[in-house]
C-alpha cells in the first residue's frame, strides 16, 4: 500500500494545530487544535472530516506538547486514522525561522535540529515551540520522516539589495542581521493561487500579496519568486499589526532606554505585545475596531485613528512594491483580516485608480471560501481575495519531498 497521508503540525508556545491530509486529492481527513497546553483548562477540539463525524472536545489539564500529541494520536485512532497507520508517509512541521540555511523543505536530522536551535535568538517565541513539536513527533514515530517547512524559505530569493540592511557589513554578517521575512508558506501558496485564478502560469505573473491577520506582512512576488517582503530580521518589522508596531525609527528604542529608563526586555514587550492596533486603541480585533467606528460614541475617535494608521502603512507598502515590481498583475488579500474585512480592502486601494487599482463595491462585500476577484472587469490590475492554506502548502511541500523518495539536504551557513 502506497503511503499518501501527511500529518501537518503547527506547534505554538501553548498550542498545537494539526491537519491530516490525503495527498492523492489534497483532501482533509481530520483537523484539530489543542490550546492552553500546560494549564488546568487545556482544550482539544478534533473534527474527523473523513468520516463526516461530529467534532469532539476534551477539556482538562494537558501538561506539555508530548501529552498534547499523544492526545491527538488517541483522537485520530478513534477514527482509524492513527499515527501507526502504514498510509502515513510523513509528518510536516511548520518552523518559523530557517535563516539563510534552509531554502527548501528539509528532512529533519540532528544537524537540522541543531541549526533550528541555533536560530532561537532571532525567533525566541517560535523556534523553541517548533523544536518541541518535532522532537515529540520523533519520539512517537521515530521511523517516519519528519519534514521541516520554513516560514522564511520563500523569501530567500530576495536580492541582496532587498535583504541587506544598511549597516556595517562585518557586524551584520557576524550576527546574521538581515531581512528574512515570514509567513512564507502563505505568500507562496497565495501568489500561486492568484496566478491560477487569472488563468496564467506563476512565472508570468507579478503579485503583491497582503497577508493580513493579527500578524501581517506584504510581499512583492515577481514571476513566482519573492523579491521583497515587509518583515525583517524578526516578525516585528513592516505593517501595523494586532500587537506589533511594525516600522519604527530605531532611535525610538534608544530614547525609551535613555529617557524612559526602560530595559531592553521592557521595550521588546512594548513593541511586540503592546503596540500596533492594541496600543493605538485598546483592541487588536479588526471586527471590534470597525464596530466602534460604525457605532460612534466616545470610543470611535481612537478606533478611527488606529484604522487610518493601519491603512496608511498598508497603502505605502502597496505603492512601494508597485515600484519594486514595475508591472503589477494582481494584488491579493489573504488571512483573517484580508479575507474577511471588506472595509480594509476598500480603504487600502482607495485613491490608487491612477495605478489601475480599484475594487468593485458589490463584489468586495461578497463573502465566500473560494478565491475570487473583487476588481472591476476593466481594471488593469486584478484585486483578489485568496484564502490562504498554509497547512496544504506544508503538506504539499512535505509530500513532494518524501513521497517521491527525494530528500533535501541543507548547506549550513557560517
Amino acid at each position: 500500500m502506497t503511503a499518501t497521508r501527511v500529518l501537518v503540525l503547527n506547534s505554538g508556545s501553548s498550542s498545537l494545530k494539526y491537519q491530516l491530509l490525503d495527498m492523492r486529492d489534497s483532501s482533509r481527513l481530520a483537523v484539530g487544535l489543542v490550546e492552553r497546553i500546560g494549564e488546568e483548562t487545556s482544550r482539544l477540539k478534533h473534527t474527523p472530516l473523513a468520516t463526516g463525524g461530529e467534532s469532539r472536545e476534551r477539556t482538562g489539564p494537558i501538561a506539555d506538547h508530548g501529552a498534547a500529541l499523544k492526545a491527538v494520536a488517541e483522537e485520530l485512532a478513534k477514527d482509524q486514522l492513527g499515527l501507526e497507520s502504514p498510509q502515513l508517509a510523513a509528518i510536516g512541521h511548520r518552523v518559523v525561522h530557517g535563516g539563510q540555511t534552509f531554502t527548501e523543505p528539509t528532512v529533519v536530522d540532528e544537524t537540522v535540529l541543531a541549526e533550528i536551535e541555533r536560530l532561537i535568538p532571532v525567533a525566541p517565541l517560535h523556534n523553541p515551540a517548533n523544536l518541541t513539536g518535532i522532537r515529540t513527533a520523533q519520539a512517537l514515530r521515530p521511523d517516519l520522516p519528519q519534514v521541516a517547512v520554513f516560514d522564511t524559505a520563500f523569501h530567500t530569493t530576495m536580492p541582496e539589495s532587498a535583504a541587506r540592511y544598511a549597516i556595517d557589513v562585518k557586524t551584520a554578517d557576524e550576527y546574521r542581521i538581515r531581512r528574512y521575512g515570514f509567513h512564507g508558506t502563505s505568500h507562496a501558496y497565495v501568489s500561486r493561487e492568484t496566478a491560477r485564478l487569472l488563468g496564467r502560469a506563476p512565472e508570468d505573473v507579478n503579485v503583491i500579496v497582503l497577508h493580513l491577520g493579527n500578524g501581517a506582512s506584504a510581499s512583492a512576488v515577481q514571476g513566482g519568486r519573492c523579491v521583497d517582503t515587509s518583515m525583517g530580521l524578526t516578525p516585528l518589522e513592516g505593517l501595523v499589526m494586532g500587537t506589533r508596531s511594525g516600522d519604527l525609527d530605531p532611535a525610538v528604542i534608544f530614547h525609551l532606554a535613555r529617557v524612559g529608563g526602560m530595559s531592553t526586555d521592557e521595550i521588546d514587550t512594548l513593541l511586540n505585545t503592546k503596540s500596533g492596533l492594541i496600543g493605538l486603541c485598546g483592541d487588536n480585533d479588526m471586527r471590534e475596531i470597525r464596530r466602534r467606528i460604525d457605532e460612534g460614541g466616545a470610543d470611535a475617535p481612537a478606533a478611527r485613528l488606529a484604522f487610518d494608521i493601519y491603512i496608511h502603512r498598508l497603502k505605502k507598502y502597496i505603492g512601494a512594491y508597485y515600484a519594486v515590481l514595475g508591472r503589477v498583475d494582481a494584488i491579493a488579500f489573504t488571512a483573517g483580516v484580508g479575507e474577511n474585512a471588506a472595509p480594509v480592502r476598500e480603504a487600502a486601494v482607495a485613491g490608487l485608480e491612477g495605478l489601475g487599482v480599484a475594487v468593485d463595491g458589490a463584489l468586495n462585500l461578497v463573502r465566500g471560501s473560494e478565491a475570487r476577484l473583487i476588481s472591476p472587469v476593466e481594471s488593469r490590475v486584478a484585486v483578489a481575495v485568496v484564502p490562504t492554506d498554509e497547512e496544504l502548502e506544508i503538506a504539499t511541500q512535505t509530500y513532494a519531498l518524501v513521497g517521491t523518495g527525494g530528500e533535501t539536504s541543507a548547506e549550513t551557513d557560517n
Side-chain angles (χ1 to χ4, degrees):
M1 180 183 296
T2 303
T4 60
R5 295 176 182 173
V6 173
L7 177 65
V8 175
L9 298 180
N10 183 350
S11 301
S13 58
S14 62
S15 66
L16 176 65
K17 298 178 184 177
Y18 64 94
Q19 291 194 14
L20 180 66
L21 298 94
D22 189 327
M23 300 315 296
R24 289 176 295 183
D25 56 5
S26 299
S27 61
R28 285 168 174 77
L29 305 177
V31 302
L33 168 67
V34 187
E35 55 188 349
R36 299 191 291 273
I37 296 172
E39 301 180 20
E40 292 294 318
T41 56
S42 304
R43 171 177 172 266
L44 187 159
K45 182 176 181 180
H46 173 85
T47 305
L49 300 175
T51 60
E54 295 282 332
S55 294
R56 301 191 296 269
E57 291 192 22
R58 64 161 84 174
T59 57
I62 296 178
D64 51 31
H65 284 75
L69 190 51
K70 288 176 183 176
V72 169
E74 290 171 5
E75 293 302 320
L76 289 168
K78 292 176 183 177
D79 307 307
Q80 288 74 53
L81 300 171
L83 296 189
E84 75 286 348
S85 170
Q87 296 182 60
L88 189 60
I91 299 178
H93 300 264
R94 179 201 180 206
V95 179
V96 167
H97 214 309
Q100 290 179 270
T101 305
F102 302 110
T103 62
E104 296 177 318
T106 305
V107 174
V108 173
D109 58 20
E110 288 305 314
T111 301
V112 172
L113 287 173
E115 182 62 14
I116 294 172
E117 188 165 14
R118 193 164 74 98
L119 288 162
I120 285 176
V122 288
L125 298 178
H126 299 94
N127 273 31
N130 303 154
L131 275 171
T132 299
I134 294 171
R135 287 176 171 141
T136 301
Q138 283 180 321
L140 287 178
R141 280 298 305 270
D143 59 313
L144 204 63
Q146 310 285 332
V147 176
V149 179
F150 299 89
D151 273 12
T152 49
F154 183 65
H155 304 302
T156 58
T157 56
M158 284 191 295
E160 285 293 280
S161 56
R164 283 273 185 183
Y165 290 111
I167 67 172
D168 172 65
V169 171
K170 183 178 179 181
T171 302
D173 288 346
E174 181 177 357
Y175 297 103
R176 301 198 291 178
I177 298 172
R178 61 187 290 115
R179 298 181 59 250
Y180 294 101
F182 299 89
H183 296 144
T185 52
S186 178
H187 286 278
Y189 177 84
V190 170
S191 59
R192 213 170 45 244
E193 283 298 293
T194 302
R196 185 192 61 78
L197 184 64
L198 299 179
R200 299 167 63 181
E203 297 77 18
D204 298 331
V205 177
N206 291 352
V207 186
I208 298 173
V209 177
L210 304 172
H211 177 107
L212 308 179
N214 191 51
S217 60
S219 68
V221 182
Q222 188 172 59
R225 294 167 59 84
C226 177
V227 295
D228 207 348
T229 193
S230 59
M231 287 180 167
L233 173 72
T234 76
L236 181 60
E237 187 181 359
L239 303 175
V240 175
M241 302 175 225
T243 65
R244 299 184 189 124
S245 65
D247 291 340
L248 189 78
D249 180 350
V252 170
I253 297 170
F254 313 144
H255 182 78
L256 291 173
R258 293 167 181 160
V259 179
M262 295 177 68
S263 69
T264 54
D265 285 345
E266 288 173 328
I267 297 171
D268 192 317
T269 298
L270 171 69
L271 298 182
N272 276 290
T273 67
K274 298 181 180 180
S275 296
L277 293 173
I278 204 165
L280 290 167
C281 71
D283 274 308
N284 64 326
D285 188 322
M286 186 59 72
R287 293 167 296 187
E288 182 64 17
I289 291 171
R290 287 304 313 179
R291 183 195 65 77
R292 287 168 54 181
I293 292 171
D294 295 340
E295 291 182 0
D299 287 343
R304 168 54 70 181
L305 179 60
F307 182 82
D308 289 347
I309 293 172
Y310 182 95
I311 295 298
H312 181 76
R313 184 81 56 82
L314 185 55
K315 191 173 293 187
K316 281 176 65 175
Y317 267 91
I318 293 173
Y321 287 171
Y322 203 118
V324 167
L325 292 169
R327 186 198 85 241
V328 175
D329 300 298
I331 298 172
F333 289 88
T334 193
V337 175
E339 294 170 28
N340 297 298
V344 169
R345 298 191 296 260
E346 180 181 16
V349 303
L352 301 183
E353 292 82 5
L355 298 176
V357 183
V359 298
D360 179 289
L363 292 176
N364 189 36
L365 293 175
V366 174
R367 297 178 69 90
S369 59
E370 300 297 321
R372 60 196 185 277
L373 295 177
I374 60 171
S375 48
V377 175
E378 66 275 11
S379 288
R380 188 165 74 248
V381 178
V383 180
V385 178
V386 182
T388 192
D389 198 331
E390 294 175 271
E391 288 77 16
L392 176 58
E393 182 69 16
I394 292 169
T396 300
Q397 292 190 28
T398 296
Y399 193 67
L401 183 61
V402 304
T404 58
E407 216 172 271
T408 299
S409 59
E411 294 182 5
T412 305
D413 61 343
N414 297 315

